[in-house]
Amino acid sequence: MGADMSPAPSTAPTSAWFSYQTALQTRCSCPLAMSSENDVALSCIRRLVAVNSFTKAKVLTGASTLKFIPEELVLYCRDFRVLRFHFHESGLEPLAFRVTKAIAQAQESSRRGHGLESAALRNLGHSPLKKEEEEDPPTLLFETPRDWEKELRRLGVASWRVSPVNERFDMSTSLPKYLWVPSGFLDNELKRACVHFNGRRIPRLCWHHPGGSDLLRAASFHADSDPEKEDMRCVETLMLAGHPQCVIVETGADLPSPAEIQQAHLKLWGLSLSLADSFVGPTDEKWLSSLEGARWLDYVRACLRKASEVAVLLAEKSRSLILQETDDRDLNCLLASLVQVLSDPYARTLAGFQGLVQREWVTAGHAFQQRLNLWQKNERDESPVFLLFLDCIWQLLQQFPRSFEFTEAYLLALHDSTYIPLWSTLRFNCQWERGRNSQHRFLNQLYTPVNGWRETLCLEILPKDGCSAKEAAGASLPSLWDWGLRYGLQQRAQFRNPGYQHGSGTSTSRPVQNGNFLPQTGNKMENPRGNWAVFLLSKGSLSLQTQLFPWKNGSLSKKVSRWAQLSEGPGDQNKPLRGQSGLRHLPPEGLLLLPLHAGPFVRLWKRCYLRGSPEVQVGLFASSIAGLTEELHLLQERLSSWQAREAHGPATENGREPH
């Protein structure tokens, strides 16, 4: 639902004009114009409330009976916005009842997959998709072997190759078409090995460290498989990846489950929007206590801590490190991406970050349709794992402001885009599902190289929408990364960080250490048999495994003694461990970011979560006075911090950035 909602002069900042004509429009000529602070997609509305000064406010659904003429309509959005429409100030008092009912019914229709947003999707094929010229390099979508080969060349590794073994999705429907596998490993060996992992999601390369380590990801071992000797050799070759040492990371052991993430996010949403309906401020002690009780910030801390552990192990010594999750589609996406952001300066550029999301989330099979639940059909599977990842990136942006090419405004635009169902990037659960929907639900699927690869999908519109299949042909769903379709050059300029240090992470760079998480594990992880060894990283501890294949019980053995403690208690999270610092064991290649993750260093993302609060009122592009004031305050803090550090010597002398 796109609406012209310029704030009325005499109202609060969230008050706005409402265009009845736009609200009822079903043939939108510019369906991608969602860049205004007050535009909202129907799928983004979580609660619709009609308000009248003489009666109790009423929560509306498509089947609701409204017995009064509303004076105000309040939209509580899933992206934490609160939009208020005052009919008596917009001149729409006679039409207030009809407008309110129309929006409620349109919202209900959008949940069934048709209605205003389906009309917008239908008109994509009949409206020219125009965007202002931009100099950004195209984002790699990893739809073709060329994209995978290009990224592999950037990593500079010759011991891995691009395999088309899953090109027809006959090995696994949730995996991408192409995989990075060891060069000497044949495709028929991959097919032998895949049956021993859940969903046939075998170990495959995510990222190669310049120091020699390899980061892999895989699903858990299949509990009912019965491997033969040759199968065990294939799995062993995949997991060791040519290294004498392998560390298996139990992703779910230290991180919240998708269900816990969803519960925390709902509590955060309720707490944040409660500020919009009360006089309580975000500094109220009771409110802050409830915020900690929601555990969202605890989960952010856990993700940062776990990613730091993995990043240090990658940088410390040449080894293979495998992220293992039950289905390899949620927390592995988050952790693999976060580790690369900490370890690879290219992942902190705009093009690199977008390619990272495309590779480790979109093509890797994160179930965006289920987890985002845009159509609000199945709340049981809903879990904003991707939004938790964006919060972690925002925390890094606060601690290392000069290390990222993009800004908070960019992250907020990406956060809000997840609730707009117009991008092919987030509409499906995997590449196979995208192709399957193209064949059965859609009319065709084709690819044309226009400003990078863009997916063209032709929608099958229900007859009640008044559009034949022939008329629907040609409807194009753009990529999420086509920012020029909905943001102008001036807006996109705010996506780029003017303080970004180009060329950071050269061969002379040292690790940037905001925290002191550098475990001393070198001597304790020597291979006991002199050939190869497998370790398990679980709950912050490393343990040597007596066997590689635990198919009898479906999980790795944890009965052996713990070898190395990688984390202290809650009060010592950022203190050096006993013994020598591990800093000198880290190779100098690349710029490793090690964030602080103890209590006060992980903060609430106010510009995102408190947008509905009148006390905050910070929007995407900081168009309000409060937003500009906050931006100025942050810049002043950073400038003062930088000047203080310069007065005491070079800013990088102690391995920390001014922030």
Side-chain angles (χ1 to χ4, degrees):
M1 179 183 69
D4 179 16
M5 299 183 284
S6 304
S10 60
T11 64
T14 49
S15 301
W17 297 93
F18 180 80
S19 171
Y20 172 65
Q21 181 179 2
T22 306
L24 297 182
Q25 184 177 6
T26 57
R27 296 188 178 275
C28 178
S29 60
C30 187
L32 296 181
M34 302 292 294
S35 58
S36 167
E37 285 295 326
N38 297 312
D39 286 345
V40 59
L42 290 168
S43 57
C44 186
I45 301 174
R46 175 166 279 159
R47 186 183 304 161
L48 188 65
V49 178
V51 179
N52 185 289
S53 56
F54 300 103
T55 186
K56 186 178 179 180
K58 182 177 179 61
V59 179
L60 300 176
T61 65
S64 296
T65 301
L66 191 59
K67 298 182 179 180
F68 61 86
I69 297 178
E71 298 175 356
E72 181 184 30
L73 188 63
V74 186
L75 276 61
Y76 295 91
C77 303
R78 299 172 71 191
D79 60 8
F80 294 86
R81 287 181 295 167
V82 177
L83 303 179
R84 301 179 185 274
F85 306 105
H86 295 278
F87 293 108
H88 64 281
E89 294 169 352
S90 62
L92 291 174
E93 302 95 316
L95 301 175
F97 184 87
R98 294 177 58 190
V99 169
T100 303
K101 289 293 293 181
I103 295 175
Q105 292 171 0
Q107 183 195 16
E108 189 70 25
S109 296
S110 72
R111 296 182 179 180
R112 296 194 298 268
H114 54 276
L116 293 182
E117 284 171 356
S118 290
L121 291 173
R122 179 176 69 236
N123 280 279
L124 281 171
H126 309 293
S127 302
L129 295 179
K130 297 180 180 180
K131 62 179 179 180
E132 300 183 47
E133 293 297 325
E134 50 188 327
E135 300 178 357
D136 297 337
T139 298
L140 292 180
L141 300 184
F142 295 93
E143 295 280 358
T144 66
R146 181 185 302 176
D147 289 350
W148 291 89
E149 290 167 357
K150 182 177 180 180
E151 180 65 10
L152 198 60
R153 287 195 301 270
R154 186 192 71 81
L155 293 176
V157 55
S159 57
W160 296 81
R161 67 179 178 90
V162 178
S163 171
V165 65
N166 199 45
E167 196 167 26
R168 297 179 180 274
F169 301 106
D170 53 354
M171 188 175 79
S172 173
T173 56
S174 63
L175 283 175
K177 294 179 181 179
Y178 308 101
L179 308 172
W180 286 332
V181 300
S183 297
F185 209 71
L186 302 178
D187 286 352
N188 64 339
E189 293 178 304
L190 291 171
K191 292 181 178 180
R192 286 186 70 102
C194 72
V195 297
H196 302 297
F197 294 88
N198 292 336
R200 299 190 172 190
R201 295 179 66 89
I202 59 172
R204 70 270 182 207
L205 180 68
C206 293
W207 182 69
H208 175 77
H209 191 281
S213 293
D214 291 313
L215 178 66
L216 293 79
R217 58 183 291 183
S220 298
F221 295 110
H222 199 293
D224 298 328
S225 64
D226 185 16
E228 299 177 358
K229 184 176 181 180
E230 182 63 20
D231 297 340
M232 296 177 69
R233 185 195 66 81
C234 292
V235 174
E236 176 186 315
T237 302
L238 274 178
M239 297 181 68
L240 291 172
H243 297 275
Q245 192 176 97
C246 172
V247 177
I248 299 177
V249 181
E250 281 197 333
T251 309
D254 300 299
L255 300 182
S257 68
E260 290 172 328
I261 294 173
Q262 170 66 0
Q263 184 180 23
H265 192 259
L266 286 176
K267 289 181 179 179
L268 176 66
W269 185 83
L271 282 170
S272 299
L273 297 188
S274 68
L275 299 178
D277 298 325
S278 67
F279 296 101
V280 176
T283 57
D284 180 77
E285 290 186 7
K286 185 177 180 180
W287 189 88
L288 290 174
S289 176
S290 299
L291 175 63
E292 283 299 320
R295 303 209 64 190
W296 179 262
L297 296 181
D298 287 339
Y299 295 157
V300 173
R301 296 183 187 104
C303 293
L304 293 175
R305 181 171 57 249
K306 191 73 170 182
S308 298
E309 292 175 358
V310 175
V312 167
L313 288 174
L314 279 172
E316 183 190 41
K317 180 180 179 180
S318 179
R319 55 167 64 99
S320 71
L321 198 149
I322 304 175
L323 307 179
Q324 196 167 43
E325 182 190 12
T326 301
D327 61 359
D328 181 38
R329 300 182 68 178
D330 288 304
L331 299 178
N332 269 7
C333 298
L334 186 153
L335 193 56
S337 302
L338 200 53
V339 168
Q340 292 178 62
V341 171
L342 293 178
S343 306
D344 188 355
Y346 179 69
R348 302 169 214 147
T349 66
L350 264 173
F353 183 77
Q354 293 179 170
L356 175 68
V357 171
Q358 191 72 27
R359 186 178 71 252
E360 299 296 346
W361 292 83
V362 180
T363 63
H366 178 64
F368 277 106
Q369 188 180 78
Q370 292 179 2
R371 294 310 190 198
L372 293 177
N373 193 23
L374 289 179
W375 310 122
Q376 302 180 45
K377 291 182 177 180
N378 188 358
E379 295 182 355
R380 183 183 60 183
D381 294 330
E382 184 176 348
S383 178
V385 182
F386 182 65
L387 302 186
L388 178 62
F389 165 68
L390 293 184
D391 198 323
C392 293
I393 298 299
W394 180 83
Q395 304 291 338
L396 295 176
L397 198 62
Q398 305 312 298
Q399 296 193 33
F400 306 100
R402 296 188 300 169
S403 297
F404 290 83
E405 186 183 21
F406 50 85
T407 64
E408 181 184 24
Y410 169 80
L411 288 179
L412 194 54
L414 184 54
H415 175 279
D416 292 353
S417 295
T418 59
Y419 292 108
I420 303 176
L422 301 180
W423 326 120
S424 62
T425 311
L426 307 180
R427 282 181 60 88
F428 304 100
N429 294 322
C430 56
Q431 281 186 319
W432 171 80
E433 188 173 301
R434 181 179 293 109
R436 182 172 176 268
N437 276 268
S438 300
Q439 294 174 10
H440 300 288
R441 183 171 183 266
F442 302 105
L443 298 178
N444 70 335
Q445 179 180 20
L446 52 93
Y447 300 87
T448 52
V450 179
N451 296 323
W453 292 91
R454 178 177 302 172
E455 183 181 86
T456 303
L457 298 173
C458 301
L459 297 173
E460 176 187 355
I461 304 299
L462 298 176
K464 67 188 300 182
D465 284 331
C467 177
S468 66
K470 183 177 180 180
E471 290 174 329
S476 174
L477 292 179
S479 166
L480 174 66
W481 315 119
D482 285 332
W483 296 110
L485 291 175
R486 55 197 189 278
Y487 297 118
L489 288 173
Q490 186 176 4
Q491 291 173 314
R492 295 202 308 278
Q494 297 186 45
F495 290 172
R496 292 189 174 276
N497 179 11
Y500 172 63
Q501 287 189 332
H502 297 276
S504 61
T506 61
S507 59
T508 58
S509 301
R510 298 297 296 168
V512 175
Q513 184 184 355
N514 264 0
N516 288 320
F517 179 82
L518 288 166
Q520 172 66 23
T521 59
N523 296 329
K524 296 182 180 181
M525 293 187 65
E526 295 300 327
N527 296 354
R529 292 184 295 275
N531 44 19
W532 58 263
V534 177
F535 293 84
L536 173 68
L537 175 62
S538 178
K539 298 186 181 301
S541 300
L542 279 169
S543 55
L544 178 66
Q545 298 302 293
T546 57
Q547 59 180 358
L548 180 60
F549 311 108
W551 277 286
K552 291 184 179 180
N553 56 12
S555 62
L556 288 165
S557 172
K558 305 186 188 69
K559 295 181 180 180
V560 294
S561 60
R562 297 293 170 90
W563 278 53
Q565 291 293 326
L566 294 184
S567 64
E568 298 289 327
D572 299 319
Q573 288 179 356
N574 296 291
K575 294 182 179 179
L577 298 174
R578 293 183 297 273
Q580 299 176 342
S581 168
L583 183 61
R584 64 173 177 271
H585 295 286
L586 300 177
E589 296 91 344
L591 185 59
L592 176 62
L593 304 183
L594 295 176
L596 292 160
H597 49 74
F601 299 105
V602 173
R603 299 183 292 168
L604 182 67
W605 188 1
K606 291 184 179 181
R607 194 170 174 183
C608 178
Y609 302 136
L610 301 187
R611 283 181 285 177
S613 170
E615 187 172 322
V616 179
Q617 287 302 312
V618 181
L620 174 58
F621 295 105
S623 56
S624 65
I625 298 298
L628 293 173
T629 302
E630 184 185 40
E631 288 291 317
L632 180 60
H633 178 68
L634 289 175
L635 289 174
Q636 288 174 337
E637 280 187 346
R638 292 173 183 173
L639 180 60
S640 299
S641 176
W642 181 80
Q643 289 174 338
R645 293 181 187 277
E646 284 293 309
H648 293 84
T652 57
E653 185 177 284
N654 61 356
R656 297 184 61 167
E657 266 191 275
H659 63 283

